[in-house]
């Protein structure tokens, strides 16, 4: 993400427009952000794949175990819905026809005032901090597992703390999304490697799997399966910052569609192969299901490196929102004071992530809770509601309104029932530990 200093684009052509009109990205006449040092659309594509893929891939075979084969239909729906909401969310940034908004919170405030803004900020913070917490739990568990039988086997919690320190270094030193974007290409590659490892090893292991059971649909667990699937498309929280880092924002629809389609392809491969071969015995993360050996170790190492590199992208997005909110800029404080204030905020953020990660070390249950509670709102519900409020309802064709209704219904079901089931699962996990 570049500096948020605004530049005027043909200011004489600015027109006052009502909410009944829609706007394309960075239209002539809109005061856009400064994109002088922005990156390419390909870099934005890798950002999306890195943030969205990863832990979602690891949990999807279990989502099919929870909901049955019908989960593939929900995955297909979620794929198209997340592309749609990703496009309209960015369109909302330009909806006033005058200046580009900078954050998800500003879109909510523009639509529903300060109450809408703070409600959205709460959900936004839940994901931008919740996902790194999830990553730190996974990293700590993996590193301890890799050191099994050696002096390095010091427990999940110490390794989780070490993981937080590793993530804190780039998080504190770099300033914007553009500076952490170099990590995204590795993150995308890491996910592809893990998918290939799981696919090949699981196929080799198939003759050893006997009495495997599959379900067409499991209605009582369907909502929590929906929430796990929705978590797999949780990129909306960083989209405003990713789009801001693009030199050509008009490419956004193609970039988000390509990024999410790449993730969906990996999701279908992992989910189908994992559930088909291991059935109701499949574990989360999926690499725990494949036989122990070199392949499993490589998968664990690669995905651990991936989450350690993806976490700073999410925490940086959270910090940028905070810094924007409190106007923490070099122009206001000077370079040294601005860096000190920013460093203090980011150290405090990582401390919160570390404490929670060490307190709730249950990967699967935590993934479901985060997905149900926040992602269903941020991915499916809020973008549609804000879009219709800011651009109008009457100017939309009937089929688009029907699609919007389906998106919101899916989000509400996942939010309410998924959260209830996830809390029960978390309580059960604590009771058994």
């Amino acid at each position: 993400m570049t500096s948020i200093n605004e530049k005027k684009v043909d200011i004489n052509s600015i027109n006052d427009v009502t909410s009944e009109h829609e706007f394309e990205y960075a239209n002539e006449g809109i005061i856009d952000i400064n994109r002088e040092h922005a990156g390419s659309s390909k870099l934005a594509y890798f950002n999306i794949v890195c943030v969205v893929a990863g832990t979602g891939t690891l949990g999807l075979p279990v989502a099919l175990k929870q909901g049955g084969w019908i989960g593939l239909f929900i995955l297909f729906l979620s794929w198209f819905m997340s592309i749609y909401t990703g496009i309209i969310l960015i369109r909302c940034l330009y909806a006033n026809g005058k200046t580009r908004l900078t954050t998800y919170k500003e879109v909510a405030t523009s639509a529903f005032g300060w109450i809408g803004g703070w409600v959205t900020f709460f959900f936004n913070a839940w994901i931008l901090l919740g996902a790194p917490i999830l990553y730190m739990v996974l990293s700590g568990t993996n590193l301890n597992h890799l050191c099994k039988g050696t002096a390095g086997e010091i427990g999940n919690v110490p390794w989780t703390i070490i993981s937080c320190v590793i993530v804190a270094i780039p998080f504190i030193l770099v300033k914007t999304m553009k500076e952490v974007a170099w990590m995204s290409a590795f993150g995308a590659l890491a996910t592809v490697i893990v998918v290939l490892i799981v696919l090949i090893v699981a196929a080799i292991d198939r003759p050893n799997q006997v009495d495997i059971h599959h379900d067409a649909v499991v209605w009582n667990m369907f909502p929590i399966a929906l929430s796990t699937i929705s978590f797999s498309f949780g990129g909306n929280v960083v989209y405003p910052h990713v789009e801001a880092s693009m030199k050509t924002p008009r490419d956004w629809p193609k970039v988000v569609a390509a990024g999410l389609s790449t993730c969906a392809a990996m999701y279908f491969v992992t989910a189908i192969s994992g559930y088909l071969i291991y059935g109701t015995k499949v574990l989360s993360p999926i690499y725990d299901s494949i036989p122990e050996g070199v392949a499993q170790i490589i998968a664990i190492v690669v995905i651990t490196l991936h989450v350690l590199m993806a976490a700073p992208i999410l925490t940086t997005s959270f910090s940028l929102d905070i810094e924007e909110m409190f106007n923490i800029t070099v122009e206001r404080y000077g370079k040294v004071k601005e860096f000190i204030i920013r460093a203090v905020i980011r150290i405090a953020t990582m401390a919160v992530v570390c404490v929670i990660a060490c307190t709730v070390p249950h990967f699967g249950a935590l993934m479901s809770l985060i997905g149900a509670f926040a992602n269903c709102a941020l991915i499916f519900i809020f973008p549609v509601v804000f879009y219709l409020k800011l651009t109008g309802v009457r100017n939309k064709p009937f089929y688009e309104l029907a699609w919007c209704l389906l998106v919101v219904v899916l989000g509400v079901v996942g939010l309410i029932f998924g959260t209830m089931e996830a809390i029960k699962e978390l309580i059960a996990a604590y009771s058994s530990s």
Side-chain angles (χ1 to χ4, degrees), residues 9-61:
V9 183
D10 192 12
I11 194 166
N12 292 329
S13 66
I14 295 180
N15 300 314
D16 291 327
V17 194
T18 66
S19 62
E20 290 297 310
H21 295 82
E22 297 175 28
F23 298 90
E24 292 305 321
Y25 315 96
N27 263 351
E28 289 297 315
I30 292 180
I31 302 176
D32 195 15
I33 58 172
N34 182 5
R35 298 181 188 270
E36 185 179 351
H37 302 290
S40 67
S41 297
K42 288 180 182 178
L43 195 59
Y45 162 81
F46 284 121
N47 268 330
I48 291 172
V49 175
C50 180
V51 170
V52 174
T55 52
T57 312
L58 305 180
L60 278 174

Side-chain angles (χ1 to χ4, degrees), residues 94-166:
Y94 300 93
N96 64 18
K98 298 175 182 178
T99 59
R100 180 196 183 275
L101 304 177
T102 56
T103 65
Y104 208 144
K105 179 177 180 290
E106 285 188 8
V107 171
T109 302
S110 179
F112 291 102
W114 66 272
I115 295 178
W118 283 107
V119 169
T120 301
F121 177 75
F122 171 75
F123 281 95
N124 208 47
W126 187 285
I127 286 298
L128 289 176
L129 293 181
I133 289 168
L134 191 60
Y135 290 169
M136 294 304 96
V137 171
L138 177 62
S139 177
T141 304
N142 286 354
L143 289 170
N144 192 61
H145 176 76
L146 290 170
C147 296
K148 190 175 182 180
T150 71
E153 189 178 3
I154 54 178
N156 290 353
V157 171
W159 276 116
T160 299
I161 295 171
I162 293 170
S163 300
C164 290
V165 173
I166 293 170

